[in-house]
Amino acid sequence: MQLALWTYEGPPHVGAMRVATAMKGVHYVLHAPQGDTYADLLFTMIERRGQRPPVSYTTFQARDLGGDTATLFRDTLADAFERFQPQAILVGASCTAELIQDDPGGLARALALPVPVVALELPSYQRKENWGAGETFYQLVRSFCGDEKPARAEDAVPSCNILGPTALGFRHRDDLREIRALLGEMGVRVNVAAPLDATPADLSRLAQADFNVVLYPEIAGPAAALLERRFGQKQTRIVPIGVGATRDFIREVAALAGIDPEPILSRAQSNLPWYSRSVDSTYLTGKRVFVYGDATHAIAAARVATEELGFTLVGLGTYSREQARDLRDAARKYGVEPLISDDHLEVEAAIGAAGAELVLGTQMERHIAKRLGIPCAVISAPVHVQDFPARHSPQMGFEGANVLFDSWVHPLMMGLEEHLLGLFKDDFEFADGAAPSHLAAEEPVTPAAVLADVAVWDAAAERELSRVPFFVRGKARRNTERFAKERGLSSISLDTLYDAKAHYAR
Amino acid sequence: MNAIAPARQTDIVRENGQRSVFCGLTGIVWLHRRIQDAFFLVVGSRTCAHLLQSAAGVMIFAEPRFATAIIEERDLAGRADPEDELDRVVERLLERRPDIRLLFLVGSCPSEVIKLDLSRASARLSRRFAPAVRVLDYSGSGIETTFTEGEDRCLEALVPTLPQDDAPALLVVGVLADVVEAQFRRLFEALGIERVRFLPASRAHEMPAIGAGTRILCAQPFLHNTVQALQRRGGVPVAAPFPLGAEGTTLWVAAAAAAFGIPPERVRAVCEAGEARARTALAAHRSALQGKTVFLFPDSQLELPLARFLQRELGMVAVEIGTPFLHRGALAAELALLPPGSSVVEGQHVDRQLDRCRAARPDITVCGLGLANPLEAEGLTTKWSIELLFSPIQGYEQAADLAALFTRPLDRRTRLAV
């Protein structure tokens, strides 16, 4: 058993949901108890999708366990096909259903539906979300990509597939748009982008491309390897996060496409290099930064942090065990100890021990950083609603590099303010523990004694006010005092408090 | 004051199919904040851990007092002894959080399917860590419990540990916001009820006593098992509607008063001001909501009292009142107050229910987080039901706040011009 306060990845069936939800025309029938339907909210609330994920759950209960859960699965599958008319169906089990061993794949075959059914075996007690997404995408590609590579016309423009973006991915939507545009500028045709917005029919066209662009190896790795074996399609190995990596990526793509990278390299620019060289960025020099996330984003962030922002890397870690080797190689390069762990407590200990001044991590590291009193920027899943900004906000490409500069530098104390804090430590408003002014989250509290003509709160009313949640307490105090003043009351009792509340409720 | 009329004809249908509800583990999200020296350790899968952090995803204020002991392959394959593993996890946890006085081991779907005996584990661990920490267990699994039933099971687990006291006392059961609890305490004290207690208390060693003189008053409609357990300890339940709205609160307080032989005039005198204040504050909401239709998906089991409040005090019309379960006994008083011909649907077939909802095009739909945005995208106005558990909504002073949860989404729609 593993003690988990927070988890970095969900179970593998959530990875499968991310692929199913990303695609069009796919429906996932999941053998699972009712509580597992929480996963819908990941997509509808965190990602703010306007449709329910295309998932039907059997939602079996204890009383079904003695009976026939297999029939329940079969009926759910038949109903889902009837109702949603998908082009392809995924079937599988969540962790609890895995234990009751109903064999969704076998049950689905017996039903002989007129559309392809892909059975997923996702071992919930060994594997996790990204692996589940990778395996699901691999199985879908394997089922639909065919065996033969179509002949290539001599004069065809170079073409590629973009593989990896899913629903609920960290900036996947924006990265896809950015890289699609970059490839377009290079004169490379995008044949299919998948899984995001692809249909099963699109997957059957994958073989038509010359090569594959792999954006997220955790997810697209297995499918890209299959396509390389089957059709000889080469794949990109460089993930274009940061200015340097984007330039390397352009060269890599150009080599695969047989085109000259120089025109685009001379044209395309990012603001990051100049912003990093401008004098106000001097205070970024040597900031001790701890990087943790999925392997792809963590390794990329280490390069950007050191080469493009001038930080000092004091730790590098990942929860992606499957990519541990790549991360170890990177850690060796920067001379830091690699941390391969999905144990939140271990990550917390490592960050504390490293004496970091900035954490580039996941939403979970925000908790750690908060406790340690250091700033944090998010570079990787697991995601939060904030990680789906309204604006275009990629991590990849040249615009992505601009986003990285802004979002990593913003949480840091601005240079001069930091000096002042160091100079005047005893200033009561400017204390050691004070957050930088541009990050002030709570409204300043006005001491009651400063205000003239304010009615006096009696003990009971004051006590009651203290029970009001802190984020509305200020408003409750002000409203009540205004109410008392308007009525010429000299003291505030419980009744005044609630009379005022009722008054302002109108 | 309205007397409770005899049950009238309400149309109650049972439906079976896919349910779109949380499991009982979700209750931990508010329970762990209520009992301040308690910790909730779910013994389950990665899915359980993921559910908890997704449902509690907004909490960045402090370290949560919950965690998951994630069952792994080696536990299932017999390569590790689950009992030893659990002991090791608990040890590490208590080392990290020496402030914890009460530890709940919370069963989950997988722990129940593999028949992990958590009651034995909790007894063993309780012996080991006594007297500093008491260890209890309950099930929050999705195959046994739906959403708010988790709170019921948790409180039920506390009942055997409560001190015995047979003196006359009122025990208010169910998690309430601090401010609501304080208001209710004042009301009951003003009525002259000498001992007013609340379950759960905010500290493990302050849990209320129970005994033959205890009258049990539920503040929430989903505490069936807890009430039965309290009855076994000698408590006597008070039948009442739930304290939502001015009317609901008065009937609720009056029922408790009657159990203590307090005359109705006294109740009127004590409740008058609050009730009047609530009605005044509700008036504005009533003009906004009057005649509007509402469709309630099954979720928190608050649906019946809510539908009663929305219809009787705000003039709304409930098209369908879904509820995951219907404990007819516990909700008899609520059923009696529903307008005749109300349509109550127990259980769920989410796709059919969505079809009915789309066909009815209600002015407002109360539903879970998985359904709210998709329905909004289809042009329906929604109120997500989990907010009803996360906001102080009971009692006179909160009646208008509860109404505001419904007027706000409608108001928003009229404001937006994009």
Side-chain angles (χ1 to χ4, degrees):
Chain A
M1 275 178 209
Q2 185 198 357
L3 175 62
L5 273 76
W6 299 108
T7 63
Y8 289 100
E9 292 182 77
H13 72 260
V14 167
M17 282 184 73
R18 288 176 52 186
V19 172
T21 305
M23 291 185 66
K24 298 185 191 309
V26 175
H27 199 87
Y28 184 20
V29 178
L30 185 63
H31 206 13
Q34 61 180 2
D36 290 7
T37 58
Y38 82 89
D40 285 357
L41 81 86
L42 302 170
F43 300 92
T44 63
M45 295 302 287
I46 295 179
E47 197 177 6
R48 291 191 175 94
R49 281 186 172 255
Q51 299 90 36
R52 296 168 67 208
V55 183
S56 294
Y57 306 81
T58 53
T59 62
F60 56 84
Q61 293 175 277
R63 61 166 182 269
D64 300 316
L65 290 178
D68 194 356
T69 48
T71 304
L72 180 62
F73 179 83
R74 215 161 32 226
D75 293 348
T76 306
L77 176 57
D79 286 353
F81 173 73
E82 192 61 36
R83 179 174 280 270
F84 299 103
Q85 298 285 317
Q87 298 163 37
I89 295 184
L90 296 167
V91 298
S94 79
C95 50
T96 307
E98 185 184 333
L99 298 171
I100 59 178
Q101 300 185 327
D102 274 338
D103 184 20
L107 293 168
R109 272 193 301 280
L111 210 58
L113 293 172
V115 293
V117 175
V118 178
L120 299 173
E121 300 276 348
L122 308 175
S124 303
Y125 299 92
Q126 297 170 32
R127 300 294 193 168
K128 290 176 284 192
E129 179 178 336
N130 279 334
W131 185 88
E135 169 70 10
T136 303
F137 186 48
Y138 168 83
Q139 292 295 348
L140 278 165
V141 168
R142 202 177 69 114
S143 302
F144 288 95
C145 72
D147 300 317
E148 285 191 29
K149 187 171 173 69
R152 187 183 194 284
E154 274 302 310
D155 56 349
V157 294
S159 66
C160 69
N161 302 310
I162 301 178
L163 304 181
T166 63
L168 209 67
F170 183 75
R171 310 292 167 87
H172 287 197
R173 172 199 70 186
D174 300 344
D175 286 345
L176 175 59
R177 177 174 144 193
E178 198 62 24
I179 296 307
R180 194 192 274 278
L182 180 64
L183 291 165
E185 274 186 71
M186 293 180 70
V188 176
R189 186 174 69 82
V190 176
N191 176 53
V192 171
L196 196 59
D197 295 331
T199 62
D202 290 333
L203 299 185
S204 67
R205 298 190 294 110
L206 285 168
Q208 294 171 12
D210 297 330
F211 62 98
N212 289 312
V213 168
V214 174
L215 294 189
Y216 311 102
E218 281 90 344
I219 295 165
L226 170 78
L227 293 168
E228 186 155 6
R229 283 197 304 276
R230 199 169 279 186
F231 307 118
Q233 286 172 329
K234 297 264 187 267
Q235 51 176 305
T236 57
R237 302 281 173 184
I238 295 164
V239 177
I241 297 179
V243 175
T246 299
R247 295 179 71 85
D248 293 347
F249 172 80
I250 289 170
R251 289 191 194 93
E252 185 184 33
V253 166
L256 290 171
I259 55 177
D260 178 11
E262 288 314 317
I264 182 135
L265 284 175
S266 59
R267 207 166 59 232
Q269 278 311 330
S270 158
N271 291 324
L272 185 146
W274 166 242
Y275 274 42
S276 234
R277 283 185 158 77
S278 80
V279 289
D280 61 295
S281 289
T282 313
Y283 79 98
L284 303 177
T285 313
K287 281 268 185 206
R288 299 169 60 82
V289 56
F290 193 102
V291 174
Y292 180 87
D294 69 29
T296 299
H297 287 87
I299 294 169
R303 177 172 176 188
V304 176
T306 52
E307 293 180 10
E308 302 180 15
L309 289 163
F311 293 148
T312 297
L313 193 71
V314 294
L316 180 60
T318 185
Y319 54 81
S320 319
R321 282 184 192 280
E322 290 85 354
Q323 280 76 29
R325 201 168 56 185
D326 296 341
L327 188 116
R328 283 204 183 88
D329 290 347
R332 198 172 304 119
K333 187 176 143 199
Y334 298 108
V336 295
E337 197 60 38
L339 173 67
I340 314 294
S341 172
D342 65 349
D343 182 338
H344 178 74
L345 299 178
E346 216 176 305
V347 178
E348 179 182 64
I351 293 175
E357 294 171 281
L358 171 68
V359 180
L360 300 177
T362 73
Q363 289 291 339
M364 307 302 131
E365 278 63 61
R366 287 180 55 201
H367 298 269
I368 294 173
K370 187 172 184 227
R371 202 167 315 121
L372 298 174
I374 45 183
C376 178
V378 176
I379 59 157
S380 158
V383 290
H384 186 257
V385 66
Q386 292 171 350
D387 297 320
F388 293 91
R391 67 184 186 281
H392 179 56
S393 186
Q395 302 286 290
M396 294 183 176
F398 293 119
E399 182 58 23
N402 295 337
V403 171
L404 297 185
F405 184 91
D406 290 345
S407 51
W408 296 4
V409 168
H410 173 83
L412 291 169
M413 204 151 307
M414 306 309 270
L416 289 178
E417 186 175 29
E418 191 180 48
H419 289 308
L420 285 173
L421 272 181
L423 280 177
F424 308 115
K425 278 194 193 310
D426 293 334
D427 186 321
F428 72 97
E429 286 182 314
F430 213 42
D432 232 5
S437 61
H438 67 294
L439 295 181
E442 281 177 62
E443 68 177 293
V445 181
T446 318
V450 179
L451 301 170
D453 306 331
V454 165
V456 179
W457 290 71
D458 74 22
E462 189 74 54
R463 203 162 46 241
E464 192 76 350
L465 183 68
S466 72
R467 294 186 182 109
V468 174
F470 70 86
F471 46 90
V472 289
R473 201 179 296 146
K475 184 177 166 196
R477 179 185 284 280
R478 282 192 306 277
N479 281 353
T480 309
E481 288 171 355
R482 190 167 76 188
F483 180 84
K485 192 178 168 188
E486 284 166 1
R487 278 156 192 74
L489 303 173
S490 59
S491 73
I492 291 170
S493 68
L494 271 174
D495 278 328
T496 324
L497 173 64
Y498 284 115
D499 284 339
K501 183 164 190 249
H503 176 77
Y504 287 109
R506 266 177 283 165
Chain B
M1 217 174 316
N2 303 329
I4 296 174
R8 280 172 291 187
Q9 196 55 46
T10 294
D11 184 22
I12 301 172
V13 184
R14 247 212 85 80
E15 198 168 44
N16 270 315
Q18 180 186 320
R19 299 163 72 99
S20 185
V21 286
F22 285 130
C23 62
L25 295 181
T26 326
I28 293 172
V29 176
W30 61 88
L31 284 163
H32 90 282
R33 286 284 145 208
R34 169 64 200 190
I35 312 176
Q36 293 178 15
D37 49 4
F39 196 99
F40 294 78
L41 181 65
V42 176
V43 183
S45 64
R46 181 166 299 281
T47 314
C48 307
H50 198 236
L51 154 81
L52 274 177
Q53 81 182 40
S54 305
V58 290
M59 293 197 308
I60 51 170
F61 298 121
E63 179 169 318
R65 287 185 292 266
F66 59 77
T68 309
I70 297 181
I71 300 169
E72 295 169 300
E73 185 69 13
R74 37 193 238 107
D75 303 304
L76 297 174
R79 292 201 303 280
D81 177 3
E83 293 198 357
D84 294 346
E85 287 289 298
L86 189 56
D87 287 9
R88 186 179 56 76
V89 166
V90 168
E91 217 169 277
R92 187 172 175 208
L93 185 66
L94 293 177
E95 216 167 87
R96 182 182 164 82
R97 298 296 299 257
D99 51 323
I100 295 308
R101 294 289 163 267
L102 178 59
L103 174 67
F104 288 100
L105 303 179
V106 188
S108 65
C109 298
S111 81
E112 270 162 32
V113 170
I114 65 171
K115 303 205 183 317
L116 208 56
D117 190 345
L118 292 187
S119 62
R120 212 174 62 190
S122 66
R124 183 181 67 241
L125 288 162
S126 234
R127 277 194 302 277
R128 181 160 159 208
F129 292 102
V133 185
R134 169 178 260 160
V135 185
L136 299 174
D137 70 284
Y138 72 91
S139 167
S141 91
I143 55 176
E144 294 280 357
T145 62
T146 300
F147 197 21
T148 49
E149 282 185 305
E151 180 179 328
D152 187 23
R153 301 297 173 95
C154 172
L155 300 187
E156 180 189 11
L158 277 171
V159 172
T161 73
L162 302 180
Q164 187 78 26
D165 179 0
D166 291 330
L170 176 65
L171 181 62
V172 180
V173 188
V175 172
L176 291 170
D178 293 348
V179 67
V180 177
E181 182 180 312
Q183 290 164 6
F184 285 158
R185 187 183 288 282
R186 280 196 299 273
L187 277 176
F188 291 125
E189 283 170 0
L191 284 172
I193 299 175
E194 212 173 304
R195 296 177 200 81
V196 183
R197 296 165 180 156
F198 290 83
L199 179 70
S202 59
R203 297 274 166 188
H205 66 274
E206 289 166 359
M207 291 297 166
I210 172 78
T214 308
R215 294 290 174 273
I216 308 160
L217 184 64
C218 281
Q220 301 280 16
F222 41 74
L223 300 170
H224 191 64
N225 285 16
T226 306
V227 171
Q228 287 188 329
L230 289 166
Q231 280 181 278
R232 288 193 292 273
R233 294 282 311 267
V236 180
V238 175
F242 295 90
L244 299 184
E247 176 192 45
T249 304
T250 299
L251 291 173
W252 186 72
V253 172
F260 285 84
I262 297 164
E265 309 80 68
R266 181 72 183 277
V267 176
R268 199 167 304 129
V270 167
C271 292
E272 215 163 34
E275 187 178 327
R277 205 147 50 198
R279 290 198 191 280
T280 310
L282 281 172
H285 295 288
R286 188 180 171 100
S287 60
L289 295 172
Q290 178 92 42
K292 295 261 194 293
T293 53
V294 57
F295 192 111
L296 297 106
F297 276 78
D299 197 54
S300 62
Q301 296 192 55
L302 281 164
E303 293 82 7
L304 254 70
L306 205 55
R308 180 261 303 157
F309 164 69
L310 293 174
Q311 296 190 98
R312 291 174 64 100
E313 297 191 47
L314 295 165
M316 296 185 79
V317 180
V319 182
E320 176 167 330
I321 308 165
T323 180
F325 302 101
L326 186 59
H327 291 298
R328 277 155 224 256
L331 284 156
E334 291 288 350
L335 281 167
L337 290 170
L338 284 179
S342 290
S343 163
V344 176
V345 177
E346 182 186 9
Q348 188 171 28
H349 184 299
V350 69
D351 289 311
R352 279 186 213 144
Q353 200 158 29
L354 282 166
D355 289 345
R356 292 198 297 273
C357 181
R358 288 176 182 124
R361 292 207 68 82
D363 293 307
I364 193 158
T365 302
V366 184
C367 61
L369 295 173
L371 300 177
N373 264 338
L375 288 174
E376 290 279 350
E378 291 179 28
L380 293 169
T381 303
T382 62
K383 169 72 245 131
W384 16 302
S385 46
I386 197 165
E387 212 174 344
L388 300 164
L389 278 310
F390 282 24
S391 320
I393 56 168
Q394 296 84 0
Y396 295 127
E397 319 300 352
Q398 282 64 238
D401 298 345
L402 176 56
L405 291 180
F406 295 85
T407 41
R408 200 171 303 125
L410 290 167
D411 176 25
R412 184 158 186 77
R413 237 171 222 275
T414 60
R415 283 167 190 260
L416 296 182
V418 293

